[in-house]
Amino acid sequence: MRLLVVSLLLLFGLPFIMTEVVDSFQNCREFFFNEQPPVFPGILNNSVSQDNNRYKLICQKYETTYRFATLYDTTNRIPVFSAYKYTGSYTGRPHKPWKIEPQLETLGGEMREPCVHQASSEDYWAQSALNRGHLFPNAHAPDNITAESTFTLTNTVPQYKNFNNGSWVRMEEEVRSIMDSHCRDRDDPNKMLAYVLTGAVPSTANFLKHKVNIPSNMWTAFCCYNGTTWVSQTHRAENKDSNTNQINAKTLENLKSEFLQNKYGSGAIVLFNNECSEFLKT
């Protein structure tokens, strides 16, 4: 069946990425702190989708290697979050076509019209205010091949250009510098290591081309070992047409209890296996 899907996508001229839509994150659990994915009540629990018709688990595989993991919302056609390990970054930006996930385009064992369950590049055409915003930014990738793997539409959301290219990218650069300086692999202090989650909160009624949700907010959090203990920092901001806002660091508890809890409703949200609660002051 997958060969049929790939053949049809090629027929339509759509670039695709050979990732894996899975029943659990077991195959790519290394991208989560303590190999434990987050808990979002009603969405994800015990590494299993709580609504498999809507929320799909993707182990993002590229060039035979797992590069990161994504929880994808096929109703809003945007990811809930992407998870990756930060181990340093390379300089440059790949020039690759944006890809889609072919396995999301099967339903009832048959191939449907392309990109029914995910965004496509065409959705972003002729957009003056919005562009494709990475959750796992290519600038946080350790090498060119991993950076290429981030150019999948299952790893992007519609972000306002002024925001994506302004305050949000400045925050990503600052966080990268902080992780370079403060985060170490506990098993090898000479190496960098941080576990990162970046997500998007869907809006209630704001859509690109009447189908791709334009998130109301973006958030990101990292957990790492600073040489003494496990620490964390988080950032969040409104996705709006502005590039002047300063995005300040918040505690993990602030992100969970004062932000995500309000956005996603009842039930306790767990990001880093109930650890990494100590705030990294810089």
Side-chain angles (χ1 to χ4, degrees), residues 35-90:
E35 299 188 346
Q36 295 295 315
V39 173
F40 280 76
I43 298 176
L44 182 70
N45 194 20
N46 293 325
S47 189
V48 176
S49 172
Q50 301 301 285
D51 183 351
N52 199 46
N53 291 323
R54 176 175 180 177
Y55 298 106
K56 301 294 186 179
L57 284 59
I58 305 175
C59 287
Q60 302 276 12
K61 193 174 188 178
Y62 185 70
E63 297 288 342
T64 74
T65 300
Y66 293 116
R67 306 291 173 171
F68 62 107
T70 299
L71 178 63
Y72 196 79
D73 179 353
T74 61
T75 298
N76 283 313
R77 295 180 175 89
I78 59 172
V80 178
F81 65 74
S82 283
Y84 60 97
K85 291 194 296 185
Y86 179 81
T87 57
S89 60
Y90 91 114

Side-chain angles (χ1 to χ4, degrees), residues 168-272:
W168 190 253
V169 75
R170 289 195 298 270
M171 178 276 299
E172 289 177 337
E173 292 169 351
E174 181 180 352
V175 167
R176 181 179 60 191
S177 177
I178 290 170
M179 292 189 295
D180 286 342
S181 300
H182 294 81
C183 295
R184 292 293 174 265
D185 187 329
R186 190 171 185 178
D187 297 325
D188 186 350
N190 293 318
K191 296 181 179 179
M192 287 177 285
L193 175 61
Y195 296 89
V196 188
L197 295 166
T198 301
V201 178
S203 62
T204 56
N206 193 12
F207 288 85
L208 175 64
K209 296 291 183 70
H210 305 290
K211 65 176 185 177
V212 183
N213 192 280
I214 301 173
S216 61
N217 298 82
M218 303 292 298
W219 61 271
T220 187
F222 73 82
C223 164
C224 73
Y225 187 71
N226 70 347
T228 303
T229 188
W230 292 97
V231 295
S232 60
Q233 262 193 21
T234 76
H235 296 79
R236 54 185 169 89
E238 287 185 68
N239 179 27
K240 60 183 181 179
D241 195 7
S242 172
N243 65 1
T244 59
N245 292 345
Q246 175 68 31
I247 305 175
N248 296 317
K250 304 285 186 181
T251 66
L252 183 62
E253 185 59 32
N254 178 279
L255 177 69
K256 291 192 300 181
S257 63
E258 297 186 26
F259 179 69
L260 293 177
Q261 194 73 49
N262 293 332
K263 299 296 183 180
Y264 286 98
S266 61
I269 290 175
V270 179
L271 296 183
F272 297 118

Side-chain angles (χ1 to χ4, degrees), residues 116 229 268 280-281:
V116 171
T229 188
L280 174 59
K281 296 180 180 179

